Each structure stands twice: as C-alpha cells, then as structure tokens.
C-alpha cells in the first residue's frame, strides 16, 4: 500500500531524479511502473526496497519485474514520471494499454 502523501512524493522525486518515466498509483494496492535506463531502474528498485525497513518506510511486499533496458528510442511510457489518483486502477490499466506495456503484467 502506498497511502502516505510524503512517501508518494519521495517515490516520484526519486523516479524523476533517475530520469525514469512511468506512473505511481497510490492507495490499495499501490503500484509503481517505471521505464528507463537499466542502471536507473536497478537503482530505483534498490532504493525503494531499501526504504522498507526505515520508520515510515515503504512496506515489505515489493515485487518487481524487469524486462531489460529501454533505449530512448524504444521507450513506451511518457518520459515524465507522474502520480495517478489513489483509486484509479482502471486509469492505470488504460494507460498501460495505451502505451503498449499491458502484457508486462500478465
């Protein structure tokens, strides 16, 4: 779950600082979808998982799926990482279809 507005802001700030595109859907469940350079994605995953043991951290159940590096030419998602409404799982699904990444979740 990603319910704390401060945590959501931290996630978005970290993703943007690593030049990752994608989306954050807070609430229950919380979902983060990122795309970018392989090293940046790895650093983001390490960062977000490393926050789980801190007071006010991000929780324990972070799963991730990595498909390989997305070059600038091959990226599907918008370059600017953005936050969606907490209750907008349908919007996240529609965006994943729109940007041709829905199959990554099957």
């Amino acid at each position: 779950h990603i319910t704390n507005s401060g945590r959501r802001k931290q996630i978005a700030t970290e993703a943007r600082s690593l030049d990752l595109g994608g989306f954050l859907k807070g609430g229950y469940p919380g979902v983060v979808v990122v795309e970018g350079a392989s090293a940046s994605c790895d650093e983001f995953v390490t960062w977000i998982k490393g926050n789980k043991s801190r007071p006010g951290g991000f929780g324990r159940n972070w799963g991730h799926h990595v498909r390989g590096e997305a070059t600038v030419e091959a990226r599907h998602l918008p370059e600017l990482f953005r936050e969606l409404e907490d209750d907008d799982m349908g919007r996240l699904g529609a965006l994943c279809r729109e940007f041709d990444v829905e199959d990554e979740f099957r």
Side-chain angles (χ1 to χ4, degrees):
H1 310 304
I2 308 171
T3 57
N4 181 287
S5 63
R7 291 183 195 146
R8 291 193 302 261
K9 184 176 180 178
Q10 288 175 330
I11 291 169
T13 298
E14 185 69 14
R16 290 178 188 136
S17 76
L18 293 169
D19 198 29
L20 298 174
F23 307 103
L24 163 63
K25 200 268 326 151
Y28 299 93
V31 179
V32 180
V33 179
V34 295
E35 178 180 60
S38 181
S40 295
C41 289
D42 289 345
E43 186 175 335
F44 182 80
V45 169
T46 298
W47 174 83
I48 205 163
K49 285 187 168 191
N51 275 283
K52 68 184 176 183
S53 61
R54 294 182 186 172
F58 297 115
R60 324 177 274 229
N61 299 317
W62 286 95
H64 67 281
H65 169 72
V66 178
R67 181 176 56 122
E69 185 161 2
T71 62
V72 172
E73 299 81 25
R75 284 176 76 158
H76 292 266
L77 299 175
E79 288 187 33
L80 179 63
F81 186 87
R82 67 184 213 218
E83 186 176 345
L84 305 176
E85 296 296 322
D86 285 359
D87 60 351
D88 219 349
M89 186 65 88
R91 177 74 178 133
L92 178 61
L95 287 166
C96 288
R97 278 189 295 284
E98 177 182 338
F99 292 107
D100 198 29
V101 296
E102 182 180 34
D103 287 344
E104 295 298 322
F105 299 95
R106 296 181 193 266

